[in-house]
């Protein structure tokens, strides 16, 4: 294995294994909910917390985990995340009660948070700038593969064995990824000692927890006083965090404001959040439509969405390579247009008794759009980020991605429930009411994509070289790789 040590492609394969598992576990659990309820004697609310607990831990801890990667090296945190995630997967698979499963899923989310931001940091470190788009395209392809595989693999495992195997299947993959981590991934270490901003970590974690929990559970609690208090606390804690970071800009803050002065990074970070909202704004109501109106099983509904994932997986590396050659602006605009066209086509095609195959052209368009968005978005965000700030940049980027997903789920959930109730109250059949609801909810992702196009238009043309530092105080923080 010596010849593969620090080989960029071998490193990418290793990172992709870990990244794949974390994304797979966001989608694979949904299909097993009925079996988990009967197997554990759990209520629906308890079982749904196996999904929410994982997403909550992942959202809250990413920005802190990225900073820990700067302190102790991204390989160390990636390996720690793999270890925690794999052991938690064993605990999930063996959980005797619903409570034990929820706790194990929260720990699993913590493991995912530890490893996720390190993947982008290590890609930036091992790939030269002119090949980074291709690498990030493959990274995005892995995300598409996880999305495609989750419902299908989950359905197969639940049918052939039991719901416990949707967690236990992670164990051999986690062990293989952990072994490869120490065999091929370079141990990139900071060139000097770093400080750990404990106050910043506590403030950001508390703010993100209040925000994510409030948005995830708002509908369940009818957006009552408690949820409103949590969201208000999130705003107050967030303001305190910003003020604290402002005072620490010369002492290694969690969020270096110098990053936000890079217009391309800021625009692409905004786009990351908007795209997360847009994707959930389509996938959640469309998936509900396929199952509740067309009465497709969860596995069949996943297969209807499969063309989108297959196309995005295929297109992603080529879009990344094209962004390396000509810049990402026009590739991104093409992707946003294709995704918006796919949403319009799905909305116009949907009816109370539409055949599933009628959606293939529309899902192909959405897949082309996603394929043209993911890699260039990441490439343009990280192109001018100096290596010593890659960890912080990855943490901010991934945190915004997760919060965008939470916001998108909460917004579209509220839209679907409110609009569907109004349509049913008007005397429509369920099928007709849901189709009308689908037309209304499509406005959300389309509006968000339009805002994303504005962010893309703010991109500056790429320059011939990379920035080496954002300010003199940070220039001394160049990382050194030990082999």
């Amino acid at each position: 294995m010596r010849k593969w040590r620090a080989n960029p492609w071998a490193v990418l394969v290793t990172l992709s294994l870990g990244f794949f598992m974390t994304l797979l576990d966001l989608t694979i659990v949904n299909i097993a909910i009925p079996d988990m309820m009967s197997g554990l004697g759990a209520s629906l609310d308890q079982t749904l917390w196996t999904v929410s607990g994982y997403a909550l831990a992942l959202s809250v801890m990413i920005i802190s985990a990225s900073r820990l990667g700067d302190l102790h090296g991204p390989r160390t945190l990636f390996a720690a995340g793999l270890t925690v995630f794999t052991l938690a997967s064993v605990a999930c698979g063996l959980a005797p009660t619903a409570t034990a499963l929820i706790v194990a899923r929260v720990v699993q989310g913590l493991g995912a948070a530890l490893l996720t931001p390190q993947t982008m940091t290590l890609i930036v470190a091992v790939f030269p700038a002119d090949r980074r788009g291709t690498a990030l395209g493959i990274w995005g392809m892995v995300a598409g593969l996880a999305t495609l595989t989750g419902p299908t693999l989950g359905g197969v495992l639940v049918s052939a064995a039991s719901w416990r195997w949707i967690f236990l299947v992670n164990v051999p993959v986690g062990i293989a990824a952990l072994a490869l981590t120490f065999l091929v991934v370079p141990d990139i270490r900071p060139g000097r000692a770093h400080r750990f901003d404990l106050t910043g970590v506590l403030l950001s974690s508390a703010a993100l927890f209040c925000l994510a929990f409030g948005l995830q559970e708002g509908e369940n609690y009818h957006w009552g006083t408690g949820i409103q208090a949590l969201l208000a606390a999130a705003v107050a804690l967030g303001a305190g965090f910003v003020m604290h970071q402002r005072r620490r800009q010369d002492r290694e803050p969690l969020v270096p404001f110098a990053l936000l002065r890079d217009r391309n990074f800021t625009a692409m970070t905004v786009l990351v959040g908007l795209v997360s909202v847009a994707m959930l704004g389509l996938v959640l109501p469309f998936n509900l439509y396929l199952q509740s109106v067309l009465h497709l099983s969860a596995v069949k509904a996943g297969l209807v969405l499969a063309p989108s994932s297959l196309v995005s997986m295929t297109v992603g590396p080529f879009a990344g390579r094209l962004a390396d050659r000509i810049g990402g602006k026009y590739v991104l605009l093409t992707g946003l247009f294709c995704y918006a066209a796919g949403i319009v086509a799905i909305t116009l095609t949907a009816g109370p008794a539409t055949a599933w195959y009628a959606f293939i052209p529309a899902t192909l368009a959405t897949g082309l759009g996603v394929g043209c968005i993911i890699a260039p978005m990441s490439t343009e965000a990280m192109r001018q980020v100096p290596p010593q700030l890659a960890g912080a940049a990855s943490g901010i980027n991934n945190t915004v991605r997760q919060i965008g997903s939470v916001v998108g789920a909460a917004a579209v959930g509220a839209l679907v429930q409110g609009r569907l109730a109004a349509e049913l109250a008007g005397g429509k059949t369920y099928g007709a009411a849901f189709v009308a609801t689908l037309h209304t909810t499509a406005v959300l992702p389309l509006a968000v994509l339009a805002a994303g196009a504005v962010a893309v238009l703010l991109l500056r043309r790429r320059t011939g070289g990379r920035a080496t530092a954002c300010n003199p105080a940070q220039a001394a923080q160049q990382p050194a790789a030990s082999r």
Side-chain angles (χ1 to χ4, degrees), residues 255-447:
V255 178
F257 289 175
L259 280 173
L260 304 180
R261 288 194 288 271
D262 178 346
R263 190 163 79 184
N264 284 15
F265 175 80
T266 301
M268 291 300 94
T269 299
V270 170
L271 183 63
V272 162
L274 293 174
V275 167
S276 295
V277 174
M279 287 184 177
L280 281 168
L282 170 65
V283 172
L284 286 182
F286 185 42
N287 193 36
L288 285 171
Y289 161 80
L290 292 173
Q291 294 186 60
S292 66
V293 178
L294 300 188
H295 305 294
L296 300 182
S297 68
V299 175
K300 288 181 180 178
L303 291 174
V304 172
L305 297 169
S308 179
S309 296
L310 287 171
V311 171
S312 68
M313 287 161 49
T314 305
V315 170
F318 297 101
R321 191 179 307 165
L322 189 61
D324 284 339
R325 294 180 60 186
I326 66 171
K329 177 182 286 190
Y330 298 109
V331 182
L332 284 165
L333 289 173
T334 301
L336 292 170
F337 174 80
C338 289
Y339 196 72
I343 293 173
V344 172
I346 286 172
T347 304
L348 295 178
T349 303
T354 305
W356 65 267
Y357 50 80
F359 294 105
I360 291 177
T363 56
L364 291 175
T366 59
L368 178 61
V370 172
C372 290
I373 291 171
I374 299 299
M377 184 168 60
S378 301
T379 302
E380 293 302 322
M382 302 298 288
R383 191 183 298 281
Q384 298 296 328
V385 172
Q388 71 272 13
L389 295 182
S394 177
I396 295 168
N397 196 274
N398 279 287
T399 298
V400 171
R401 187 192 310 275
Q402 293 299 324
I403 293 301
S405 296
V406 173
V407 171
V412 77
L415 270 175
V416 168
Q417 292 193 32
R419 193 64 214 163
L420 184 58
E423 295 289 346
L424 289 171
K428 291 184 178 179
T429 63
Y430 181 84
F434 203 101
V435 169
T437 299
L438 197 63
H439 291 170
T440 301
T441 58
V443 174
L444 172 65
L446 290 173

Side-chain angles (χ1 to χ4, degrees), residues 41-53:
S43 66
L44 177 61
D45 190 56
Q46 284 179 309
T47 311
L48 289 175
W49 261 103
T50 65
V51 179
S52 299

Side-chain angles (χ1 to χ4, degrees), residues 12 115 131 183 192 239 329 342 375 381 400 403 417 420 445 458 475:
L12 182 60
L115 73 87
R131 294 162 66 193
L183 288 171
R192 65 180 183 82
K329 177 182 286 190
V400 171
I403 293 301
Q417 292 193 32
L420 184 58
L458 294 175

